[in-house]
Structures are given as C-alpha cells and as structure tokens.
C-alpha cells in the first residue's frame, strides 16, 4: 500500500468537474484509492464521495492506494490533484 | 377574476396564454416485494440506469453543438453519478435489505448522498444537490416509463410561468415567444429579473405557491409595473391590458425615430449612449434601441450559466460573437465580479458575514490567477476583432489597479510569444464603486484609460446601507449630498487627467436622473436597452447649461430629501412646460 498526501491545486477545490476528472483517472487503475480529508473518507472512484469531502484549494488530502498498480496510480493521481487541476482550460479527457 | 400579487421585477404589461414550465419530481410510491421478485427489481434498476445513461449521452451529443463543451461537462458528471457506488451499490443493497421497489431504494440512496452534501459548509456543494436531483429525476422517470421532462420554450406568444428558473433553464427556454415571466420564486436582483429587464420583457416574481394556479393555456394579464398577475381577467381588464399594450407600442413607435440620432443636447453636447448586457442574445435588441456600444458587459452570466469554469477558448467564442454582433462599436468587458449578492456556485467561496465587504470583485480575481488570466487572455484575443475594452470591478486603490495591469502585461507577453492574434493596447478602465476609489480618483486616473461609476455599490458603500436589507432601503439615495459630491469630484479628476468618465449603474437607467448625469459632465451612460430611447429623448431636450444649473442647485441642498424634492419639482415643472408647448409627450417612468 502507498500512502501520500496531495495538495489540492484546483482554484475552487474538489468541485464536481475536478472530482469527475479524479474519478475517471482512478478508474483506469485496478488499485483501490481511498481519499481522507478532515475525518471524512471517500473512494476516489465515487464522484459524490469525493465532492462531499469539500476539500478546497490549498488543502491537503491523504491518499491511500492499494493494488497491483499502486505506484503508477499514486504518481498519476498526485500529478492530477497537485498540478493539472490548477488549469481550468485543460480539456476533459 | 383573481389577482395574484408578487414583486414587480421588470416593467410593462402583457396579456396572453400561460406556458407553464415545471420540473417536478415524479412521486415515489413505496412498495414491499416478495423475496422472489428482488432479483428482477435489481435488474429493473440497472435497466433504468442504462436508459438514463443513453439519454444523457444523447444530450451530450446535442449540447456539444448547442451550449458548447462545458454543457457537456456537466452532463458527463451526471454520467459519473449514475455509476457512483455510493448511490448505485447502496440502492441495490436497499432493494435487498428492505425488500422494497427500485424507485424507493434509488430515492433513498440519493437522499443519503444529498444529506452528506448538505452537511458541508460549502455553498457550491450544497448547490450540487440540484445535479443529484436531476439524475434522480431521470432515473425515476425511466423506472416509471415517463418521458424525459426537458424544459422547452413556448411555441406561440405566451406568459412563461414557473416556480423558479435557473440560468440554464432560461437559456433552454430562450426569449422567443416570451411575452412575460411569472415566477413563484425570485427577487428584483435574481437572474431572470435582470434578464427580463435587459430584454424589455415584463416580469413578476415572488408569487409563491400561487404560481401553480397558472395552468397551460389560461389567459392571464401580467402587470410588471405593479407586480400583479390577473387570472381569468374579466372583459374590462382584458380591454384595459389590450389598450396598455397598444400605448406601449405607440410610445415605442414615437421613440423609434430617435434610434439613429445622436444624444446631442440643444446646445450641442453629445452624450455616448451605451447599453448594459450579459449575453450575445441581447445584442440584437441593443442595436434596435440605438446603442452606440456596450458600456458594461457583465461576464458573470457566462460563468454562472455553466456549472464549470468556462475555458479561455469557450469565453473567446462568446466574446467574439458579441464583438461581431456589435459590428465595430466598442464593448467594455467587465472582468468576473463575484461576491456580494452574487451567488458563487462552483466558484467555491464561503458564506461570509459581510459579503459586500468580503472576498469579491478584484480581490477574488487577484487571488485566482489561473481564472483571471484565462478571462483576460480571452478578452485580449477578442479585441483583435474590434474595439474591446477591459474594466476591473471593486477597485479601492492604485495598488489593485497596478497588480491587475501587471497580470494584463503577463497575458499580452504570453499571447505575443504564442503568436495568437490580440490587441496589446486595448483600453483598461475601472469601476468607481467604492468611496475610496472616488476619493483617490486623481491617483487612479493617472494609471487607467477610463472610469465607469457603479452607482448601486457606490451608494451602498457611501451611505453604509446594505442594499438587500429592506429596513435600510430608504437610504438608497443617489442624490444624497455625499454621493453627488463623490460623483462630481471623481468626474472632475477624470477630466483633469484627460480620461473619460461614464456611468453604468441603475441610476443611469432611471429617466429621473438623466439631467443630473448630464450636469455632471459625464461622457457616456450605459443603460438597459429598453431605457435607452427614453434617456436619449431627455438629453435631446435638455441644454447642458440647464442640467449644470440643476446639479449646482442640488449640491446646495443639505439633505437627500431636500435634493429629491428639488429634483421632483424641476421634473414636474419641465413636464408642464412641455405640455404647454404641446410638444411630443414626455415618456413617464424609469
């Protein structure tokens, strides 16, 4: 299992679109990804779960990744949360 | 005959049949099922989810062409909600645990997630319950074999009645065939009210539950001046409203000849006549009213219309459409002005105890650089297609202006490096809507290209009155000596620095203040399109010297009430004189 923090870079936090991008990416991996923030827990493959974490810009969420492709999943998700979400004009995948 | 009373939101009258738009949730009937039927019930749920998915995918295909890719992004998030384990797995579990029907299980599963969202402090997330309900509605309709329930506009000229209309609903309905709006919810500042005023469509809002009594096809009379909707109007009422519509047409026809004439006073001073708009669809009406340009393009709508942040490319598309429509006339783009009374859905700002003194306007923009830069780049690029101008809201001092202009320079350098067409020298102006900005107008004038007074906020901040608090509403006094002095001095500071000063607040759209604005020596006014001919008429009748005399008199008054009385007396006397001269009728009202 890999555990890593990630700082939310989206200017408006985990809004629905950002959550949607995370879900889409998480679903490309077999690993289970759990996101924790301020005592709340969500599965990274659940859009409403992620959205209801209410993590805003600059806050730090904790990721737990468990599965055969955990290393790749961790790298990709941290990059998305910390860097790519900051750019609203990045086209949706 | 029955009269429903609401809030007058947009003036004018209409007499027409009702077109009722509603998005009511199907009623869920809970049923207990024998254990043997549960597998089939789960299958039925999956079948409905598949149907809903297919419907949304079809909409995505349609909206991509229609509302652009951002509309599709909302629907894509709905697709993810349909697959969300928190909802789907939970609903399946509920069917089995409680031996209940799929409708009840899905409804309960959505309610649990909605409760989670409503627990958060985040206004944006709380709003997302709307998306959940939207998805729930679709799935329940599929389970029950009902149609998809999309809002559509009227096919014949009608009064559109609804409990409430979200900006996206208004976009779906359009303005075609809409003679009036009658809404259960809303206030004078709600989105539909603003839209209705700018399009010159009468509207009554805040009718409450009574709006349910307006049934499709019923003949109703809407009085947007008095805030009344008449059900089953009697013969006399019908005749009265027919006559009112006729008079309206006559007044419009009388003013129509002014369209291509300049707003020049009898002694030869010309005032620029601009309009306030929010979206491309308003351009046609603006030009029909004789607009010489757009003095205020409120860009908030372009953001709020979508539930995701519009990208630079999407903004450019809309901005370029407006520039094309205005055909070489100037367009002032005010950068996103959120905060205060403007709900910030996805923009993620928190509830504040003093939102008007909080994180709004330029403060929000400077704290959200990627968002600001995307908008500035879109505006600079749109300027390649015509005289676009840029305007920053809520400036309180030189520092904010400098910081904003630094970001402008950054954008210009990027665009140049990327080889994208843009206008590096577009004019940059500011809103004067805080007393601080008015008091340091000389310092600000040295570093920008024009001023525009935002009087709604300038009055609110100067007189320390919350304009949404009805108990202090009486303090909304545009001719209060404090307000008049700020307007006079800031205008003088602009002219001393050789830059233009205009006004785009509500004060400009009210005919009773037209002479005051002329007396101030403003260079242009930006008003609701429907008001433009009336203001122009006043300008063409009023010598500057007379307006200056009026302003000088107003400035000698010690209280707002005295100034107001002086103004009322002046207007009454003027109307009397014109009637005596048997000239054309002076149009009433603001």
């Amino acid at each position: 299992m890999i555990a890593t923090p990630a700082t939310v870079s989206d200017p408006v936090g985990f809004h629905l679109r950002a959550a949607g991008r995370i879900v889409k990416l998480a679903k490309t991996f077999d690993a289970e990804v759990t996101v924790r923030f301020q005592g709340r827990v969500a599965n990274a493959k659940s859009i409403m779960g992620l959205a209801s974490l209410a993590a805003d810009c600059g806050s730090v969420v904790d990721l737990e990744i468990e599965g055969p492709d955990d290393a790749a999943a961790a790298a990709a998700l941290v990059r998305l949360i910390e860097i790519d979400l900051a750019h609203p004009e990045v086209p949706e995948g | 005959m029955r009269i429903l009373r609401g809030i007058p939101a947009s003036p004018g009258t209409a007499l027409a049949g009702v077109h009722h738009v509603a998005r009511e949730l199907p009623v869920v009937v809970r049923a207990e099922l024998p254990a043997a039927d549960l597998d089939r019930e789960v299958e039925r749920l999956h079948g409905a989810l598949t149907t809903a998915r297919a419907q949304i995918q079809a909409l995505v295909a349609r909206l991509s062409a229609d509302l652009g890719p951002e509309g599709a992004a909302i629907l894509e998030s709905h697709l993810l909600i349909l697959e969300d384990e928190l909802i789907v797995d939970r609903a399946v579990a509920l069917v089995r645990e409680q031996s209940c029907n799929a409708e009840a299980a899905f409804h309960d599963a959505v309610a649990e997630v909605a409760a989670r969202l409503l627990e958060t402090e985040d206004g944006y997330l709380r709003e997302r319950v709307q998306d959940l309900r939207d998805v729930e509605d679709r799935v329940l309709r599929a389970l029950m074999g009902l149609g998809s329930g999309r809002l559509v506009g009227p096919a014949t000229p009608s009064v559109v009645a609804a409990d409430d209309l979200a900006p996206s609903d208004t976009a779906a309905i359009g303005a075609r065939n809409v003679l009036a709006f009658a809404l259960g919810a809303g206030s004078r500042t709600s989105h539909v009210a603003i839209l209705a005023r700018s399009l010159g469509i009468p509207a009554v809002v805040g009718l409450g539950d009574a709006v349910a009594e307006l049934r499709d096809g019923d003949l109703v009379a809407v009085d947007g001046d008095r805030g009344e909707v008449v059900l089953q109007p009697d013969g006399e009422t019908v005749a009265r409203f027919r006559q009112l519509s006729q008079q309206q047409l006559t007044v419009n026809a009388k003013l129509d000849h002014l369209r291509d004439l300049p707003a020049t006073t009898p002694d030869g001073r010309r005032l620029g006549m601009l309009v306030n708009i929010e979206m491309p669809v308003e351009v046609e009406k603006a030009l029909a009213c004789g607009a010489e340009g757009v003095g205020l393009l409120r860009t908030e709508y372009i953001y709020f219309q979508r539930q995701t942040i519009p990208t630079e490319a999407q903004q450019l598309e809309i901005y370029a459409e407006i520039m094309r429509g205005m055909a070489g006339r100037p367009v002032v783009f005010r950068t996103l002005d959120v905060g205060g009374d403007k709900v910030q859905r996805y923009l993620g700002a928190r509830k504040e105890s003093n939102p008007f003194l909080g994180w709004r306007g330029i403060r929000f923009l400077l704290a959200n650089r990627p968002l600001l830069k995307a908008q500035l780049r879109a505006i600079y690029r749109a300027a390649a297609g015509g005289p676009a101008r840029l305007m920053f809201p809520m400036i309180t001092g030189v520092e904010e202006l400098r910081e904003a202009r630094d970001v402008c320079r950054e954008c210009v350098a990027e665009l140049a490096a990327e080889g994208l067409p843009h206008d590096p020298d577009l004019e940059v102006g500011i809103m004067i809507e805080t007393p601080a900005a008015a008091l340091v107008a000389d310092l600000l004038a040295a570093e920008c290209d024009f001023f525009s007074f935002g009087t709604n906020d300038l009055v609110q901040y100067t007189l320390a009155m919350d304009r949404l608090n009805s108990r202090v509403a009486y303090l909304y006094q545009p001719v209060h000596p404090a307000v008049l002095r700020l307007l006079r001095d800031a205008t003088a500071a602009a002219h001393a620095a050789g830059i233009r000063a205009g006004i785009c607040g509500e004060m400009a759209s009210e005919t009773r203040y037209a002479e005051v604005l002329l007396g101030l020596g403003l260079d242009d006014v930006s008003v609701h399109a429907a008001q433009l001919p009336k203001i122009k008429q006043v300008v063409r009748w009023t010598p500057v010297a007379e307006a200056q005399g009026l302003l000088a008199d107003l400035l000698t008054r010690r209280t707002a009430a005295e100034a107001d009385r002086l103004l009322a007396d002046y207007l009454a006397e003027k109307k009397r004189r014109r009637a005596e001269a048997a000239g054309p009728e002076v149009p009433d009202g603001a």
Side-chain angles (χ1 to χ4, degrees):
Chain A
M1 192 197 66
I2 297 176
T4 173
T7 306
V8 178
S9 62
D10 191 291
V12 299
F14 273 6
H15 57 87
L16 217 53
R17 200 182 69 143
R21 288 170 70 180
I22 296 170
V23 170
K24 279 191 197 164
L25 182 62
K27 282 188 172 177
T28 63
F29 297 101
D30 292 328
E32 286 299 315
V33 184
T34 307
V35 187
R36 291 177 198 277
F37 179 64
Q38 289 184 349
R40 294 185 292 275
V41 186
N43 182 335
K45 297 178 183 177
S46 158
I47 185 169
M48 297 319 291
L50 281 181
S52 61
L53 289 179
D56 48 12
C57 186
S59 58
V60 179
V61 296
D62 287 307
L63 305 182
E64 284 169 21
I65 304 118
E66 176 118 52
D69 50 1
D70 54 3
L77 284 165
V78 170
R79 188 191 148 79
L80 175 66
I81 296 170
E82 296 213 333
I83 300 169
D84 294 343
L85 286 186
H87 305 291
E89 58 264 36
V90 169
E92 293 274 22
Chain B
M1 191 166 90
R2 209 163 106 63
I3 297 176
L4 307 178
R5 279 173 225 286
I7 301 164
S10 177
T13 57
L15 180 75
V18 170
H19 175 78
H20 201 122
V21 294
R23 194 199 299 282
E24 282 167 37
L25 273 186
V27 179
V28 174
V29 180
R30 189 170 298 269
E32 197 165 327
L33 302 175
D37 289 353
L38 295 181
D39 281 346
R40 213 184 54 204
E41 201 59 15
V42 170
E43 281 301 302
R44 211 163 67 79
L45 176 59
H46 283 300
L49 292 170
T50 307
T51 306
R53 193 171 304 129
Q55 283 176 357
I56 295 174
Q57 279 160 347
L59 271 178
V60 170
R62 186 155 90 226
L63 280 186
S64 301
D66 205 355
L67 276 181
E70 71 292 334
I74 301 167
L75 292 170
E76 271 167 22
S77 68
H78 288 190
L79 284 174
L80 292 173
I81 293 173
L82 280 176
E83 299 170 359
D84 196 319
E85 56 168 31
L86 276 182
I87 296 168
V88 178
D89 294 2
R90 181 69 183 142
V92 170
L94 284 171
V95 168
R96 297 196 185 283
E97 283 166 21
Q98 305 193 347
S99 309
C100 67
N101 54 338
E103 286 89 343
F106 194 75
H107 174 75
D108 289 351
V110 168
E112 285 175 15
V113 176
R116 267 178 85 149
L117 293 183
L118 290 173
E119 270 169 27
T120 65
E121 296 269 297
D122 191 317
Y124 161 77
L125 282 176
R126 300 163 67 94
E127 291 276 337
R128 294 288 63 73
V129 170
Q130 282 185 347
D131 290 277
L132 273 176
R133 299 263 181 255
D134 205 343
V135 172
E136 178 186 6
D137 177 69
R138 199 177 286 285
V139 173
L140 290 179
R141 281 172 185 279
L143 279 168
M144 296 173 185
L146 304 170
S148 67
R150 189 165 176 260
L151 295 185
V152 286
T156 54
S158 305
V159 171
V160 169
D163 283 337
D164 197 6
L165 291 175
S168 53
D169 293 335
T170 347
I173 291 168
R176 238 188 120 202
N177 286 328
V178 179
L179 295 187
F181 288 107
L183 300 185
S187 67
R188 264 189 68 80
T189 52
S190 57
H191 180 82
V192 183
I194 293 171
L195 175 69
R197 282 199 295 277
S198 68
L199 292 176
I201 299 174
V204 178
V205 301
L207 288 163
D209 295 336
V211 85
E213 295 175 40
L214 302 174
R215 284 178 227 289
D216 262 355
D218 285 359
L219 181 71
V220 293
V222 177
D223 186 335
D225 298 284
R226 296 163 70 171
E228 290 176 358
V229 176
V230 187
L231 290 170
Q232 292 134 30
D234 56 23
E236 196 187 316
T237 309
V238 169
R240 185 164 60 87
F241 273 81
R242 287 237 162 89
Q243 202 191 345
L244 282 171
S245 316
Q246 200 51 48
Q247 278 174 2
Q248 189 102 25
L249 287 176
T250 315
V251 171
N252 289 347
K254 272 191 190 160
L255 295 175
D256 202 42
H257 73 281
L258 292 175
R259 189 177 59 205
D260 300 321
L261 297 177
T264 306
T265 64
D267 46 354
R269 253 221 52 206
R270 182 165 178 177
L271 190 66
M273 296 299 298
L274 313 172
V275 286
N276 299 344
I277 68 168
E278 290 185 282
M279 57 197 102
V281 65
E282 292 173 89
V283 166
E284 196 183 327
K285 166 95 179 169
L287 294 178
C289 291
E292 294 161 9
V294 173
L296 171 65
L297 173 69
R298 295 190 178 91
T299 56
E300 294 78 59
Y301 175 79
I302 289 158
Y303 287 75
F304 289 159
Q305 183 194 26
R306 296 162 176 76
Q307 295 180 344
T308 54
I309 298 171
T311 64
E312 177 183 329
Q314 288 159 359
Q315 292 183 56
L316 175 59
E317 200 176 305
I318 298 168
Y319 298 165
E321 185 183 346
I322 293 170
M323 297 302 305
R324 272 196 305 277
M326 291 305 293
R329 298 173 183 84
V331 176
V332 177
F333 291 83
R334 183 180 67 188
T335 54
L336 181 64
D337 185 16
V338 294
D341 59 334
K342 293 180 198 106
V343 197
Q344 302 150 25
R345 300 154 190 265
Y346 60 86
L347 294 170
R350 295 291 161 93
K351 216 182 168 72
E352 297 182 341
S353 54
N354 276 310
F356 281 114
L357 305 181
W359 202 45
R360 59 170 303 197
I362 192 70
R363 306 166 184 183
F364 175 89
L365 292 172
L366 291 174
N368 287 283
R369 291 301 168 96
L371 188 135
L372 172 60
K373 285 182 70 175
Q375 182 169 37
L376 291 179
R377 285 172 53 107
I379 296 169
Y380 273 100
R381 290 174 67 183
R389 292 168 188 164
L390 181 58
M391 180 160 73
F392 291 110
M394 265 300 280
I395 295 287
T396 55
V398 167
E399 209 166 9
E400 287 160 338
L401 174 58
R402 284 184 186 158
E403 203 178 334
R405 296 204 74 152
D406 282 344
V407 183
C408 290
R409 272 186 285 274
E410 236 174 83
C411 292
V412 169
E414 284 174 15
L415 291 169
E418 292 164 33
L420 292 168
H422 65 286
D423 176 4
D425 302 316
L426 63 71
E427 290 189 9
V428 177
I430 58 171
M431 297 277 293
I432 301 287
E433 52 189 339
T434 64
L439 289 167
V440 296
D442 55 331
L443 308 179
L444 290 164
E447 302 191 22
C448 69
D449 302 316
F450 64 92
F451 286 168
S452 186
F453 291 107
T455 44
N456 306 3
D457 276 329
L458 187 61
V459 172
Q460 153 167 281
Y461 292 131
T462 303
L463 302 181
M465 53 84 62
D466 179 347
R467 58 186 163 92
L468 299 183
N469 182 339
S470 57
R471 287 185 172 168
V472 296
Y474 71 94
L475 275 168
Y476 178 78
Q477 296 165 337
V479 292
H480 189 290
V483 178
L484 286 181
R485 288 182 190 186
L486 287 179
L487 290 172
R488 174 196 62 189
D489 296 347
T491 305
H495 290 159
I499 69 166
R500 289 188 315 280
I503 177 171
C504 60
E506 288 290 322
M507 185 181 182
S509 290
E510 294 185 47
T511 42
R512 78 184 305 255
Y513 299 121
E515 287 93 341
V516 180
L517 303 180
L518 193 58
L520 280 167
L522 294 175
D523 300 282
D524 47 61
V525 295
S526 190
V527 302
H528 300 310
Q531 288 299 105
L532 192 146
K534 296 180 193 168
I535 307 285
K536 188 190 275 185
Q537 177 82 302
V538 176
V539 173
R540 291 175 57 87
W541 279 339
T542 313
V544 173
E546 180 183 317
Q548 284 168 341
L550 170 69
L551 179 70
D553 282 350
L554 288 173
L555 280 162
T556 64
R557 294 302 186 267
R558 291 168 172 266
T559 70
E562 285 170 29
D564 213 58
R565 208 172 313 124
L566 174 76
L567 179 59
D569 289 347
Y570 163 82
L571 293 171
E573 167 64 16
K574 190 170 183 183
K575 190 168 181 175
R576 199 185 53 75
R577 265 191 286 129
R578 284 215 72 85
E580 270 178 16
E585 193 185 330
V586 179
D588 271 333

